[in-house]
Amino acid sequence: MWVWILFIALIIFFLALDLGVFNKHEHVIKSKEAAIWTAIWVSVALAFSGVIYWLFSSGMVENPTNLTPNKAVLKYITGYLIELSLSIDNVFVIAVIFSSFKIPALYQHRVLFWGILGAIVFRGLMIFFGVALITKFEWIIYVFGLFLLWTAYKMLKGDDEDFNPKDSWVFKQIRRVYPITSTMHGHDFFIKKRGLNAATPLFVALVVIELTDVLFALDSIPAILAITADPFIVFSSNILAILGLRSMYFLISRMLAKFRFINYSLVVILAFVGLKMLFSHQIELPEWLSLAVISVSLLAGIAASLLIPAKEEEANEE
């Protein structure tokens, strides 16, 4: 249990350092700064694989699935890459939400910071129940597998391209139960207007992002559970990927039009993981193969986006 406590304490320390030191004063996050922080978070996450090896080799963490230290490291890195790649799709949606509610770049980091805190709590609960379900009911893995295949199909069709946060059920419910101002008031989430408390667009964007992350977790958590049911590996890889989401957003949100083929990479990853779940009792794939499929799919999508020239109409739109 102390390993879990130390890990959570480390995450809280990282977040406190982020808000209290490096982003004490609100400022627009430039691409260079975002690139540096993205590299730092990825390095921290990959370096943590050494901690995973040490914990599993020394028996300092519970090992319900009887993993060897080497297998534990491979599963951790594979799980981290799945979460990181699926986070890219989250970046697209966050950009739409900020644009819809006209959130200035100056305050976007503040919204994402508090969004991360909520995401850690929600994902922790979902991981706990997901692991418990798979452990108690083996057949649930087939449900998760079919769900991932259905998600991959929906992503391939592009059903969510016309997503408008202001038309969402969540926004309508917030507006129904709580007054919402139409203008920003600095970095405040709430203000007092004519004697009444009212939420600013900043708070509404935070709530919509938070609930959107829960929906994304419905894809990402079953995906990582296809790799391993070890709760510590699932939780640590998931949370470390989330911590890097903010800097990744500021890095690639300005280049969204360039990553035209990244969705196809995510379709391949989700479909592969879904099929792996469906045939988990018939075929046992080596860990390096899962890692290779995920890495190659992601790199191929990025390379295709950068190397294949956009059509003339798309270029004009950009």
Side-chain angles (χ1 to χ4, degrees):
M1 183 57 70
W2 68 268
V3 172
W4 285 83
I5 292 169
L6 283 176
F7 179 75
I8 293 169
L10 182 68
I11 298 306
I12 293 171
F13 171 74
F14 281 151
L15 289 170
L17 204 62
D18 186 336
L19 193 65
V21 178
F22 297 111
N23 291 284
K24 188 175 182 180
H25 303 291
E26 286 163 344
H27 63 285
V28 176
I29 309 291
K30 302 290 185 183
S31 295
K32 184 180 178 182
E33 182 184 353
I36 292 169
W37 276 108
T38 299
I40 289 171
W41 285 121
V42 171
S43 300
V44 167
L46 293 178
F48 195 76
S49 61
V51 177
I52 293 288
Y53 184 90
W54 173 61
L55 290 173
F56 278 81
S57 60
S58 61
M60 293 177 122
V61 69
E62 192 179 354
N63 188 1
T65 54
N66 299 315
L67 295 173
T68 63
N70 287 329
K71 271 200 169 184
V73 169
L74 270 176
K75 286 180 180 290
Y76 165 77
I77 294 174
T78 306
Y80 173 72
L81 284 179
I82 284 179
E83 296 304 317
L84 199 64
S85 57
L86 293 178
S87 293
I88 294 173
D89 203 35
N90 209 348
V91 167
F92 285 74
V93 176
I94 291 171
V96 172
I97 292 169
F98 280 152
S99 173
S100 178
F101 292 108
K102 295 180 174 58
I103 306 299
L106 184 64
Y107 305 126
Q108 289 178 3
H109 181 275
R110 177 178 172 83
V111 175
L112 290 177
F113 175 87
W114 292 108
I116 292 296
L117 283 180
I120 289 172
V121 174
F122 283 125
R123 291 200 179 207
L125 290 171
M126 292 175 78
I127 288 167
F128 173 79
F129 287 113
V131 170
L133 280 172
I134 281 187
T135 305
K136 194 171 179 69
F137 308 106
E138 279 194 17
W139 54 266
I140 206 76
I141 199 167
Y142 299 119
V143 177
F144 285 161
L146 288 171
F147 178 73
L148 290 178
L149 287 176
W150 177 73
T151 304
Y153 172 70
K154 273 192 69 182
M155 191 178 287
L156 185 62
K157 282 182 64 183
D159 290 343
D160 299 326
E161 284 183 357
D162 298 326
F163 169 67
N164 184 352
K166 289 189 175 180
D167 291 335
S168 67
W169 180 85
V170 173
F171 176 71
K172 290 173 183 175
Q173 296 310 306
I174 296 173
R175 192 169 55 183
R176 182 178 295 178
V177 301
Y178 208 87
I180 297 174
T181 64
S182 57
T183 55
M184 298 287 300
H185 292 266
H187 65 206
D188 294 330
F189 288 119
F190 298 96
I191 61 160
K192 201 150 199 164
K193 191 176 182 182
R194 296 173 188 170
L196 293 172
N197 290 323
T200 66
L202 214 61
F203 176 74
V204 180
L206 172 62
V207 173
V208 176
I209 286 173
E210 201 69 74
L211 293 175
T212 302
D213 182 75
V214 172
L215 293 177
F216 274 101
L218 292 175
D219 299 336
S220 65
I221 289 174
I224 194 172
L225 288 174
I227 304 302
T228 179
D230 184 275
F232 186 72
I233 292 178
V234 173
F235 184 71
S236 57
S237 59
N238 208 289
I239 299 308
L240 286 170
I242 291 175
L243 287 177
L245 177 61
R246 289 162 304 158
S247 52
M248 187 190 294
Y249 168 78
F250 291 110
L251 178 63
I252 68 175
S253 62
R254 300 178 181 101
M255 303 184 292
L256 289 180
K258 290 185 180 178
F259 292 96
R260 306 184 317 283
F261 297 108
I262 202 70
N263 267 11
Y264 295 107
S265 297
L266 303 183
V267 168
V268 171
I269 291 170
L270 285 172
F272 170 75
V273 174
L275 289 171
K276 184 178 179 181
M277 284 186 129
L278 289 178
F279 296 102
S280 58
H281 292 122
Q282 288 78 34
I283 304 170
E284 188 174 346
L285 297 176
E287 300 306 324
W288 63 265
L289 182 59
S290 298
L291 184 57
V293 169
I294 291 160
S295 303
V296 170
S297 300
L298 196 56
L299 291 173
I302 293 171
S305 300
L306 297 176
L307 298 175
I308 299 174
K311 290 180 182 175
E312 209 170 315
E313 311 88 68
E314 292 176 357
N316 291 336
E317 284 177 12
E318 291 170 21

